[in-house]
């Protein structure tokens, strides 16, 4: 069996990751625009894309196992692309495999950065919403729970209540 099936699977994975990155950029814009309806639609597409990527990963693992078995390796280990490339002797296939590995690593790093940025933007938006609500309601964290007056405050509160002139 040729390593071409692994290369094809890596190519599909790169395309899916590229599409996911595009969705994440759209999500960033929806967060910045505070367009929550669009954000819900994007999250739905993102969820479907993640399921598709998960299926591709399973397919890649199956193809890699088939490749290993064709090389006489009976192990069920999940080898990395670098380890698999050591079993490829055709220099052109080895080069292409290594290029796809590096391309996919780069793409995954971009997806990770975009995801971290989106998480930070969401966290900032939630903090802003919380702050705005606190301003509108006049609610402060110190007044969050009731506590009876103590010490000097208690005496002055009692005096104010009963020391009124008739």
């Amino acid at each position: 069996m040729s390593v071409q099936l692994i290369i094809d699977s890596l190519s599909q994975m790169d395309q899916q990751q590229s599409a996911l990155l595009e969705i994440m950029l759209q999500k960033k814009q929806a967060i910045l625009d505070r367009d929550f309806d669009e954000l819900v639609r994007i999250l739905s597409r993102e969820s479907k894309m993640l399921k598709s990527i998960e299926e591709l990963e399973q397919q890649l693992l199956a193809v890699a196992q088939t490749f290993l078995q064709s090389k006489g390796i009976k192990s069920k280990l999940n080898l990395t692309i670098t380890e698999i490339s050591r079993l490829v002797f055709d220099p052109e296939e080895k080069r292409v495999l290594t290029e796809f590995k590096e391309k996919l690593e780069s793409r995954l790093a971009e997806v990770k950065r975009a995801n971290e940025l989106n998480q930070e933007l969401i966290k900032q938006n939630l903090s802003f919403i919380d702050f705005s609500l606190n301003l509108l309601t006049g609610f402060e964290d110190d007044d969050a729970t009731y506590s009876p007056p103590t010490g000097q405050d208690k005496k002055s509160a009692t005096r104010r209540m009963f020391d009124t002139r008739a």
Side-chain angles (χ1 to χ4, degrees):
M1 175 186 165
S2 171
V3 75
Q4 189 58 43
L5 290 176
I6 295 175
I7 292 171
D8 292 343
S9 292
L10 288 173
S11 175
Q12 289 175 356
M13 182 70 74
D14 183 56
Q15 290 171 0
Q16 292 287 348
Q17 292 291 342
S18 179
L20 179 63
L21 182 60
E22 183 61 35
I23 289 172
M24 294 181 108
L25 293 175
Q26 292 171 1
K27 183 165 84 171
K28 174 185 149 192
Q29 193 57 47
I31 293 168
L32 290 174
D33 294 342
R34 293 191 174 104
D35 186 353
F36 299 111
D37 293 330
E38 180 66 15
L39 185 60
V40 169
R41 284 190 290 276
I42 290 171
L43 288 173
S44 174
R45 287 185 10 232
E46 182 181 40
S47 177
K48 290 175 186 174
M49 182 66 65
L50 289 172
K51 286 179 185 176
S52 174
I53 289 172
E54 190 174 316
E55 290 171 4
L56 274 175
E57 286 176 353
Q58 293 303 316
Q59 177 186 343
L60 179 60
L61 288 174
V63 168
Q65 284 300 321
T66 305
F67 174 76
L68 291 174
Q69 289 173 356
S70 73
K71 294 291 185 183
I73 299 172
K74 304 284 185 209
S75 174
K76 292 288 183 183
L77 295 175
N78 292 328
L79 299 179
T80 64
I81 299 299
T82 303
E83 293 166 334
I84 290 174
S85 69
R86 291 182 188 143
L87 300 172
V88 177
F89 299 112
D90 180 15
E92 182 61 24
E93 286 180 339
K94 190 177 244 184
R95 182 189 61 77
V96 171
L97 190 62
T98 304
E99 283 178 6
F100 269 109
K101 177 188 108 29
E102 291 169 357
K103 188 176 182 182
L104 195 56
E105 284 175 345
S106 173
R107 181 90 59 211
L108 288 172
E110 289 179 56
V111 168
K112 183 178 178 182
R113 278 192 301 272
N115 187 44
E116 289 170 350
L117 177 63
N118 285 343
Q119 285 179 348
E120 187 61 33
L121 288 172
I122 289 171
K123 198 181 298 183
Q124 287 176 1
N125 273 333
L126 289 174
S127 294
F128 178 74
I129 290 169
D130 187 47
F131 175 75
S132 298
L133 284 174
N134 287 340
L135 282 178
L136 290 173
T137 60
F139 182 73
E140 294 180 17
D141 288 339
D142 296 340
D143 297 334
T145 58
Y146 171 78
S147 61
T150 58
Q152 189 67 3
D153 294 337
K154 188 174 185 179
K155 290 178 186 175
S156 65
T158 305
R159 191 175 323 130
R160 273 186 266 137
M161 187 183 306
F162 294 109
D163 279 352
T164 58
R165 295 182 189 229

